[in-house]
Amino acid sequence: MTAQIQTLKPAGAPEQSWDLDAIVEELRLSREVADNIRHRGEVRELPSRAAVAGILDDLAAALFPTHYGRTVLTDESIDYFVGSSLERALTSLKEQVRRGLHFTADADPPVDDPEAKALEIIRCFAHRLPALRALLVSDFRAALRGDPAATSIAEILLCYRGVTAIIHHRLAHALHRLGARLVARLIADIAHSATGIDIHPGAEIGESFFIDHGTGVVIGETAIIGSHVRLYQAVTLGAKRFPVAADGSLLKGAPRHPIIEDNVVIYAGATILGRITVGRDSVIGGNVWLTHSVPPGSIVTQAEAQNE
Amino acid sequence: MTAQIQTLKPAGAPEQSWDLDAIVEELRLSREVADNIRHRGEVRELPSRAAVAGILDDLAAALFPTHYGRTVLTDESIDYFVGSSLERALTSLKEQVRRGLHFTADADPPVDDPEAKALEIIRCFAHRLPALRALLVSDFRAALRGDPAATSIAEILLCYRGVTAIIHHRLAHALHRLGARLVARLIADIAHSATGIDIHPGAEIGESFFIDHGTGVVIGETAIIGSHVRLYQAVTLGAKRFPVAADGSLLKGAPRHPIIEDNVVIYAGATILGRITVGRDSVIGGNVWLTHSVPPGSIVTQAEAQNE
Amino acid sequence: MTAQIQTLKPAGAPEQSWDLDAIVEELRLSREVADNIRHRGEVRELPSRAAVAGILDDLAAALFPTHYGRTVLTDESIDYFVGSSLERALTSLKEQVRRGLHFTADADPPVDDPEAKALEIIRCFAHRLPALRALLVSDFRAALRGDPAATSIAEILLCYRGVTAIIHHRLAHALHRLGARLVARLIADIAHSATGIDIHPGAEIGESFFIDHGTGVVIGETAIIGSHVRLYQAVTLGAKRFPVAADGSLLKGAPRHPIIEDNVVIYAGATILGRITVGRDSVIGGNVWLTHSVPPGSIVTQAEAQNE
Amino acid sequence: MTAQIQTLKPAGAPEQSWDLDAIVEELRLSREVADNIRHRGEVRELPSRAAVAGILDDLAAALFPTHYGRTVLTDESIDYFVGSSLERALTSLKEQVRRGLHFTADADPPVDDPEAKALEIIRCFAHRLPALRALLVSDFRAALRGDPAATSIAEILLCYRGVTAIIHHRLAHALHRLGARLVARLIADIAHSATGIDIHPGAEIGESFFIDHGTGVVIGETAIIGSHVRLYQAVTLGAKRFPVAADGSLLKGAPRHPIIEDNVVIYAGATILGRITVGRDSVIGGNVWLTHSVPPGSIVTQAEAQNE
Amino acid sequence: MTAQIQTLKPAGAPEQSWDLDAIVEELRLSREVADNIRHRGEVRELPSRAAVAGILDDLAAALFPTHYGRTVLTDESIDYFVGSSLERALTSLKEQVRRGLHFTADADPPVDDPEAKALEIIRCFAHRLPALRALLVSDFRAALRGDPAATSIAEILLCYRGVTAIIHHRLAHALHRLGARLVARLIADIAHSATGIDIHPGAEIGESFFIDHGTGVVIGETAIIGSHVRLYQAVTLGAKRFPVAADGSLLKGAPRHPIIEDNVVIYAGATILGRITVGRDSVIGGNVWLTHSVPPGSIVTQAEAQNE
Amino acid sequence: MTAQIQTLKPAGAPEQSWDLDAIVEELRLSREVADNIRHRGEVRELPSRAAVAGILDDLAAALFPTHYGRTVLTDESIDYFVGSSLERALTSLKEQVRRGLHFTADADPPVDDPEAKALEIIRCFAHRLPALRALLVSDFRAALRGDPAATSIAEILLCYRGVTAIIHHRLAHALHRLGARLVARLIADIAHSATGIDIHPGAEIGESFFIDHGTGVVIGETAIIGSHVRLYQAVTLGAKRFPVAADGSLLKGAPRHPIIEDNVVIYAGATILGRITVGRDSVIGGNVWLTHSVPPGSIVTQAEAQNE
């Protein structure tokens, strides 16, 4: 910008100068030399957060058309709406998944043809939607049973953060299993921002799952949760330590989060860490800190605080 | 869609086919047979989350016009702005409340005429707004007193998640008491998503209430909180167990959450469960787990962790 | 509104009357007499939440143009994009900062000329952006090292709430130090709402900082955090008690939050309160409650709960 | 607003006072006494221009899904898209038509049940859409044949104002014939604003109709146009004089505009007035002023201007 | 941009390079040297087209609240709506007028204090609104009388381009007379784009004015139109020649457009040029070309074309 | 949709059924058999009207940054803004041009590689922008000279439909010459809709061109206009007849519109048809109908109408 024709600068020009040339140059040096984080090689377009958010709306509408789509749909129109919402969602999701596959550096085997792979993923994903809908209905019913304040399925779908979280998770998990890791992770982060509930898309969760209140819940990548499990706010199912390879690097993907068997209830603030098993029908009390396995039917609580 | 005229299919058609007909049919079967959650009977339109969000903006603007409406309002214009914002908010709220009343299956006595009932609710609600404004101002002042980092009322209204939460709650609670349960619940969920604070609209909260930081706070449906109470993040005022009727079903609405008397402070992460009473002027320490009543003036703390 | 010409009222007028005149008058009395919170004196326009959100988007795009701006930028176009985004961001930020300075009642020395002061702040702020970018890159690398589930820098920037929080914080902190307190606080609140992480803009944080999961984290105004520190969800770095002046008023700004030295890891739910020091290379376990200093290399855990 | 509490007026209040109370009162008097144009009786909600514009987009997408809807639609998805667009358009159109029927003061017989009448109108309208599509395709082909600058059907649909006008007209005319006069008129006005072509919805127009350039074309309510007619810009098919009833009032709806038979071409700026007939295969030259019938095969031109 | 670090250019970078540096430099030279059109001196912010469009919506709503504002307004709410819409419109208009005054280079006397002048203009403008509303109602009634196809006042306000044009013109003319020339002109251009009717804000138009169809109408700056005048599409009231000063420059503002007296009707396409007078009760036929005055009661037509 | 499970139809279902299945099927038959207008072969995505409108905004901002971009740009920031706007415009334009090239069935030679061709077009187009800017400045100055009502260049750029039209045309013409025919045509249609001025992108127009008022102007594909030409509203430069090939088909692209030499003025409503030449310095009067060439310096008027 050295050719700036200074004599043409207006007399009363505003003093809002920020020394832009210098800052732009410093930022370029930071970007290209000192703190370069850009991928070397071809330009890879990132999945779009806004596009994925729109896809999630369309998928929710396709699965539960009168709740998340249009209330006025009738027997003659509902299938058209579902098919149209699906088409738009799947076509757009294919593009986002394709973009994401360019970032899967460590896929084994490597992704040769992201376009073809994305098509294959979406086709499989589409066929899983009916089964996934059945799982979600089991979750809604679990919510209605599990919260004395709940009054109807409609309220559950409209007003429960935990329901938003599980819908997002079941969609993200299906994509994760099919290999669409980055988009799955993005869906999880969108859910995290909207609900305060952070479930890694890798976590396996059985039917009739319910999270009440939910803010602060964290469920790790390799956690396995059975059916009819109920969680409250701020429950952590985390890793105790990270497996390290012989060369000192972190072992990615190694099992390191808990297994929660069927019919377990975990109250608010409980922290359960490591590849341990909480046996079926157990109850874990609030704020409990647990790093070893417990047998089926266990009731674990912490000692209560005393007055000073 | 069996009549598809296949011979007209373009030669180079894209391979983006998702087997839509099959998936739409499976989803219909899931919706109508296997996992039917739709209400039987007349079509009931759900309250609209977007409409309720707009109503909340209008109500906030009507209550605090120069903070949440238009800064430039003057003595000659402010009443017009307030009246106009109110009119729009109340007219729209009436429609949303009417919709919600169709879902109040268990109202006692049942709602015969939702239109008339909604009108009555909104009229009463409107008359409570001035008193509600006074309560909210007491809350803002409590925030200014209670947080050493706060510097002005303007900062309180602009930058405090806890203030957003209490404005939403006081509006939701007024509607809840008047019978507009579903809309009240929806307001609470909107606040939950924006603040990480989950207050059931049924909770009764006295004047000069302040939640600092607030993420993870949960306050249950039957909690009763006195005046000048201060809470920090991740405090739970929850149920210990759920009252069960003779037939084993959950007793909805039964008192099961704590009573917090005046001037109590509850620090971050404290969990207080069951229909117990925390006496006035008590201080509950961080991370405390409390399931029995404590007398006025109690100071409850947990033992501190030790170095290994 | 007493002159209402009643005879012109249409016969079939809707019954949607809310007694608006009475409510508007009561609200005016509340606003002007009973519960007046309005600043006396000149009209002061508040900083705009929407404008600041737009500025944050532009700054993120200027700092990381291919991640938060436009993926397709090339060597010939990237500097134009950066310069243009910066110009828009800085010009708009100057206006918001100027507004905010009108609310700095207690500035010492007082702000005589908010316009000039805002210009000075923005010029300094602009020159800090390259260094701030370097800090953020150290944070991203810390995230990639610290989370076994992370697979690429792109995933870190796209899907990590903790990354959103630290970008916002480093921008807010720079503004806070330059005196733009209200806008800095507003940025922190925007981050809080989007991430569940509440970092006061006054907190000083060293390089290579990483918050995993993050919901419920609270870091107080006078906290000081070294380099290579890692935090998990629901960690509190808070005040134990508030310093009080001789006249009983809260001492604003006095040091009251912890100092965390380099290479410390603090696990989920730990609560660290007061002006204590956690020595370098220490590990603080999950749910630990800590109110005294610990020497370098400490490992602090809480006793584990037992089965009943 | 007489109770304004003047003493509370801020000292440095802005001088931006507009004497609002006085102006509002004068406007009320104008509205209610001097210049009252409001309907007496029940509140009648007007059709919404924005809603009708959305309906027109949906109908165009349903009729020509790959041109005005989504290019990527495939054999398996196109019917879902068409059905879903139709459902949304028809449901919304029914509401707008119902509103409009309240303004049909002079309908004969009067509309007793606007809801039922609107339903009936929409059902008939829906069944006419396939035939209407065929007419429009004839129009597109006429455009391709009639304009030497046109290169493809795609260009015709994308870039021709005259095509926009005829699509709107054929939809408006169908509604007009079914009795939805006000909504039909609103559609015509939307087209007028977008194209500069003003066709009254009552005008009857045969197949293969083409308007080139089109700005300034006016076609009156009772005009009748045969098939394969071509018009250029600024052609008027208007009334010469307005039929007057015995009492001196205008006779609404009486035939007063031209009849244009098949295969007629009318060049730019021609003005044809009154209930005359232009016989088939005629050519009317530019700027011609014509108020009497001409037989089939006529060629009508105006004398050319001369140099001074 | 010479410091571009070429070696860092990614290998597979896209070929989408446009030689940006060269073009930007050429454009700068064009802007600053060869074809400089920028004002020398202080930065002058232009009035905003979008802001003025919003102001016009608010003013229309304030004048005709149930037609252009909210249909559901009731006796108790309508004044609040009117006052609130007015406040927003006038406050925003003041800012736009202030901007525009910086461009009034030739004002006589010159505008010393645009802020004060803008305030004065808006205050006067506000007081003229009730009288302006009365004029507009006379126009609507003229439309209802003048068009046999019109069925109700509601249709007139909703579906007539000519009504849009006259509302815009009467607002623009009031501003023009008060000295807000540039904003008045901008309003006229907004109307021109939406209606095809181009009325200079300087034109004086009496009550009960009606333009039917309207596309192509042009009314010049110094035209004077009496009451009860009716115009059809493509009528021009223009200048025959432009008065020239002794130095050969155009004399701006000199009377050069026609005077049309009361009760005149001018049919489509008539062109009336120069400072002539069309006497009251005259009828000017379609396509007539008129450059001399005609006495009251004249009927002017052109000879009709003949068949070849 | 034959599998519709009728017994599950809700009892009180709304009567809003439109016989969707039948209509969708009829539309499919219309689409695929009776009135098929779809291209056979690969799917070709149409250029997007909305995208092209955004591109035009960006190009206008790049050419006249303080008028159509951001008024507050300063010497240090303006080049960044220009470069960034250009980059966005050109990148997006390349995509739209690429789409359009798929529809150039009759290109000679045919377009083998639309991607490469689009890149080449955009590169050439970009280099013509500075010269195009100079032409436009000559047009603005012609407007300021030519309209006695104009007061400043700022008003010209802000309030003149004719200026909007010429900016669009010069951009469209450059693209047309480079072979981007469909996008050029789309730009012309966008201008036509916004201004009522219809200039085919093929028309060649010299410097210092001005259209006043402009509604209804039509300029044909092969028209050639010299420098310093001024046009008024409703002027047509059209074809008299269409050249026909030996086989009776229209000869596309053959010269058929007028040549207008330098310094010609053409008043409102004049119609000039055929490949004739209007010699330099001529004046063509309003409403004149001209189909033969006139020598330089001609003054052509029509006889004036007489009173009856």
Side-chain angles (χ1 to χ4, degrees), chain E residues 155-187:
Chain E
E155 183 188 348
I156 301 286
L157 272 82
L158 187 63
C159 308
Y160 276 67
R161 293 290 92 197
V163 161
T164 302
I166 191 64
I167 294 176
H168 282 64
H169 174 69
R170 295 208 185 277
L171 294 167
H173 181 61
L175 288 167
H176 177 89
R177 291 193 59 167
L178 291 164
R181 300 282 167 108
L182 186 54
V183 169
R185 191 70 185 74
L186 180 51
I187 292 172

Side-chain angles (χ1 to χ4, degrees), chain F residues 13-129:
Chain F
E15 293 302 317
Q16 297 197 10
S17 59
W18 321 113
D19 206 1
L20 273 183
D21 286 351
I23 298 164
V24 168
E25 175 151 358
E26 283 183 65
L27 286 173
R28 186 177 58 240
L29 288 171
S30 169
R31 222 165 47 227
E32 298 190 346
V33 182
D35 297 290
N36 190 327
I37 56 170
R38 199 172 184 185
H39 176 71
R40 286 287 136 250
E42 58 177 326
V43 166
R44 305 179 304 177
E45 199 158 8
L46 282 163
S48 153
R49 196 174 187 92
V52 170
I55 290 164
L56 291 168
D57 286 346
D58 272 334
L59 288 173
L63 293 172
F64 305 100
T66 58
H67 287 92
Y68 294 129
R70 290 168 55 80
T71 313
V72 298
L73 292 167
T74 59
D75 276 10
E76 74 162 5
S77 60
I78 198 164
D79 278 356
Y80 290 112
F81 177 82
V82 168
S84 179
S85 300
L86 269 183
E87 184 274 332
R88 192 167 51 196
L90 297 173
T91 303
S92 179
L93 185 55
K94 196 225 64 179
E95 166 64 13
Q96 301 305 316
V97 165
R98 186 192 63 72
R99 292 187 185 185
L101 289 174
H102 285 283
F103 291 87
T104 314
D106 57 347
D108 183 17
V111 176
D112 287 330
D113 182 347
E115 176 74 25
K117 178 68 175 171
L119 264 169
E120 181 197 324
I121 288 173
I122 300 304
R123 281 192 187 124
C124 293
F125 175 75
H127 276 285
R128 293 188 187 179
L129 288 172

Side-chain angles (χ1 to χ4, degrees), chain A residues 15-17 19 28 30-31 35-36 38 44 49 189 192-193 198 236 250 252 289 291-292 299 301, chain C residues 66 71 78-79 94 123 127 133-134 141 145 148 150 158-159 161 194 213 215 233 286 302 304 308:
Chain A
E15 294 301 319
Q16 296 197 12
S17 60
D19 206 1
R28 185 176 59 239
S30 168
R31 222 164 49 226
D35 297 290
N36 190 326
R38 199 172 183 184
R44 305 178 304 177
R49 195 175 188 90
D189 191 57
H192 186 188
S193 182
D198 183 1
T236 294
L250 291 175
K252 306 220 164 188
W289 175 263
T291 59
H292 60 266
I299 297 177
T301 59
Chain C
T66 56
T71 312
I78 198 164
D79 279 356
K94 196 225 67 177
R123 282 192 186 122
H127 276 285
R133 186 183 184 280
R141 290 183 173 142
R145 278 194 308 270
L158 188 62
C159 309
R161 292 292 92 197
H213 310 302
T215 308
Q233 68 270 23
Q302 75 164 13
E304 184 160 337
E308 279 186 358

Side-chain angles (χ1 to χ4, degrees), chain D residues 13-54:
Chain D
E15 293 302 318
Q16 297 198 9
S17 59
W18 322 113
D19 206 2
L20 273 184
D21 287 351
I23 297 163
V24 168
E25 175 151 359
E26 283 183 67
L27 285 174
R28 185 174 60 240
L29 289 171
S30 168
R31 222 164 47 227
E32 298 189 346
V33 182
D35 296 291
N36 191 326
I37 56 170
R38 198 172 184 185
H39 176 71
R40 288 286 135 252
E42 56 176 328
V43 166
R44 304 179 304 177
E45 199 157 7
L46 283 162
S48 154
R49 196 176 188 90
V52 170

Side-chain angles (χ1 to χ4, degrees), chain F residues 142-194:
Chain F
L144 190 56
R145 277 193 310 271
D147 179 7
T151 61
S152 68
I153 283 283
E155 182 188 348
I156 300 286
L157 273 82
L158 188 62
C159 308
Y160 276 65
R161 291 293 91 195
V163 161
T164 302
I166 192 64
I167 294 176
H168 281 64
H169 174 69
R170 295 209 186 275
L171 295 166
H173 181 61
L175 288 167
H176 178 89
R177 291 192 60 166
L178 292 164
R181 299 281 166 109
L182 186 54
V183 168
R185 191 67 186 76
L186 180 51
I187 293 173
D189 191 58
I190 290 171
H192 186 188
S193 180

